Amino acid sequence: MEYTSLGKTDVKVSRIGLGAWQFSEDWGLTEYQEARKIVSKAVEHGINFFDTAMVYGQGVSENILGKALNEIGVKRDQIIVSTKIPGEFLNPEDVYKSVNKSLEILGLKYIDVLLAHWPPCWHNYPTYKYARTMEKLVKMGLVNYLGLSDYPVELVESFRSSLASTDIEVFQIRYNLVERWAEEELIPYAEACKITVQAWSPIAKGALTGKYTLDNLPRFEDVRAGEPIFHPDNFTRIWPVIVKLKEIAEKYGKKPIQVALNWLIMSSPVIVPIPGAKNTQQVEELVDSVGWRMNYTDWLELEELSSRINILHSVFYLKYQKF
Ligand SMILES: NC(=O)c1ccc[n+]([C@@H]2O[C@H](COP(=O)([O-])OP(=O)(O)OC[C@H]3O[C@@H](n4cnc5c(N)ncnc54)[C@H](OP(=O)(O)O)[C@@H]3O)[C@@H](O)[C@H]2O)c1
């Protein structure tokens, strides 16, 4: 496993983390023993950076992840757990109460990284107010570091300028080979300010594995059924990238998913992908995306092919028929 620094700190995090949203009804993995095997396999391979959130299964994901980490017996200072507080909980009373609950559910004495999951868009909580409330949790020792997820740069600046004695160390951004909007502002900002970027949906929710085709897209009960990336119009747009991933993967004796993640970590030193896994075999494959690098020519072919892609988010709306 490769390791990198967490933001400006000297804490070492694995170059690839593990997302735990999969441990919830959304993704259908709620059987504790199965989930525990996944966490255990990740630890065995040197992954020490785990991500969850209060909203993932309303506590189910936090509970499974925390219980597994405790039971596996890994030393507390050897793992870094990030969890996220939803935008609606960002008034002071909700912050204090929900973080307290999160600690109880996780079974941990402190949270390594607490991120605001998204900005409070339905309420008018002022940024300075919740920034200082979250900072207080750091002063109290309940949280080690702060982060922001799905925030635009303007709000990031406002949040940071409200802090008195700490700074943010982590961003969470949707970022993968075919969804690259983060490169416009957020990643350069993170590089300049030494902020670690946890790249979420780093394999485009499985689309970049090569196992889905136009005739075999996630459907019906699957949490991804309504995902624009799996809409046939968009999937057709990304298909040439999937074909290229397969071609490059074959050359290196790797899987398309490993090439896709390798491309991400090559693209910026601040990127730490946090893919989710549904079984131990997937963990083993994810781990093999680090510890090697594709050559520059292959990186560039993917760079050029994918930079032309735009995923359309209005696709479902555009198909609406009047009756
Ligand atoms: N901050 C945010 O707003 C936010 C939002 C979303 C997610 N996240 C975080 O990011 C994490 C990952 O993102 P994500 O869940 O959206 O999607 P993702 O990591 O891009 O895709 C995960 C899915 O890909 C498939 N997969 C994984 N490894 C594979 C392998 N080796 N071979 C074949 N298929 C494989 C699995 O689904 P199948 O096997 O069913 O295909 C898995 O559930 C989450 O767990 C969560 O912690 C954060």
Side-chain angles (χ1 to χ4, degrees):
M1 180 51 64
E2 297 173 43
Y3 295 88
T4 184
S5 300
L6 181 80
K8 299 171 286 302
T9 77
D10 55 12
V11 173
K12 293 290 169 221
V13 289
S14 47
R15 194 67 209 277
I16 186 166
L18 184 77
W21 181 20
Q22 276 59 26
F23 308 155
S24 67
E25 278 180 0
D26 299 333
W27 285 87
L29 210 176
T30 50
E31 213 283 295
Y32 173 68
Q33 290 304 335
E34 282 307 305
R36 184 193 144 134
K37 282 186 210 154
I38 290 173
V39 177
S40 180
K41 185 59 77 181
V43 170
E44 185 191 311
H45 283 282
I47 290 180
N48 72 349
F49 202 8
F50 296 88
D51 178 63
T52 180
M54 296 176 191
V55 292
Y56 297 164
Q58 264 95 28
V60 171
S61 165
E62 287 188 320
N63 188 227
I64 288 179
L65 178 66
K67 188 172 171 195
L69 288 170
N70 277 318
E71 281 188 9
I72 290 163
V74 55
K75 281 195 188 145
R76 180 64 185 94
D77 62 357
Q78 306 285 300
I79 46 156
I80 314 298
V81 176
S82 57
T83 192
K84 308 187 280 295
I85 176 165
E88 288 71 33
F89 293 5
L90 286 173
N91 69 79
E93 192 178 353
D94 275 321
V95 172
Y96 292 133
K97 288 197 164 147
S98 58
V99 168
N100 206 28
K101 190 73 191 169
S102 172
L103 284 165
E104 182 194 322
I105 294 175
L106 281 162
L108 297 176
K109 289 201 171 62
Y110 62 88
I111 292 164
D112 300 271
V113 185
L114 177 71
L115 300 97
H117 203 153
W118 57 80
C121 34
W122 312 118
H123 303 281
N124 297 302
Y125 310 141
T127 309
Y128 80 89
K129 192 104 179 153
Y130 64 84
R132 288 182 195 165
T133 309
M134 287 170 72
E135 183 173 44
K136 186 145 287 183
L137 296 170
V138 177
K139 291 182 195 161
M140 307 274 293
L142 298 180
V143 170
N144 280 352
Y145 305 107
L146 298 180
L148 295 172
S149 162
D150 308 328
Y151 267 64
V153 162
E154 290 84 351
L155 262 188
V156 171
E157 298 250 274
S158 167
F159 186 96
R160 290 180 77 202
S161 67
S162 306
L163 301 172
S165 56
T166 186
D167 193 5
I168 62 160
E169 305 297 344
V170 180
F171 275 167
Q172 246 182 65
I173 313 175
R174 183 173 184 129
Y175 184 51
N176 61 58
L177 186 52
V178 291
E179 293 177 291
R180 297 174 51 184
W181 281 106
E183 290 171 12
E184 298 293 319
E185 290 183 294
L186 283 160
I187 293 174
Y189 184 92
E191 286 170 348
C193 302
K194 293 200 169 18
I195 294 168
T196 292
V197 174
Q198 290 178 305
W200 63 263
S201 288
I203 41 180
K205 300 199 181 285
L208 299 178
T209 58
K211 69 182 174 186
Y212 295 107
T213 60
L214 259 187
D215 304 328
N216 167 36
L217 294 170
R219 290 263 180 258
F220 310 118
E221 310 283 283
D222 195 298
V223 68
R224 296 165 286 192
E227 265 289 323
I229 201 133
F230 286 111
H231 189 284
D233 292 1
N234 284 324
F235 202 77
T236 307
R237 291 181 182 205
I238 70 171
W239 185 248
V241 173
I242 296 170
V243 171
K244 181 56 75 181
L245 283 172
K246 286 184 179 171
E247 189 187 308
I248 296 175
E250 210 161 296
K251 199 163 123 186
Y252 292 88
K254 299 283 178 190
K255 302 223 164 216
I257 190 176
Q258 293 161 343
V259 177
L261 289 169
N262 198 257
W263 185 90
L264 276 193
I265 61 168
M266 279 180 79
S267 303
S268 169
V270 296
I271 301 291
V272 175
I274 48 164
K278 304 266 286 286
N279 55 53
T280 52
Q281 194 197 331
Q282 290 188 350
V283 176
E284 289 190 337
E285 290 176 5
L286 293 169
V287 167
D288 241 355
S289 52
V290 298
W292 64 283
R293 296 290 185 270
M294 75 185 88
N295 71 33
Y296 174 66
T297 317
D298 293 328
W299 178 87
L300 192 58
E301 278 198 85
L302 286 169
E303 156 70 28
E304 286 175 352
L305 201 55
S306 68
S307 62
R308 293 196 283 271
I309 289 170
N310 184 36
I311 299 298
L312 217 55
H313 284 79
S314 54
V315 275
F316 291 97
Y317 175 75
L318 295 176
K319 295 282 171 203
Y320 180 76
Q321 300 286 332
K322 277 210 234 170
F323 292 102

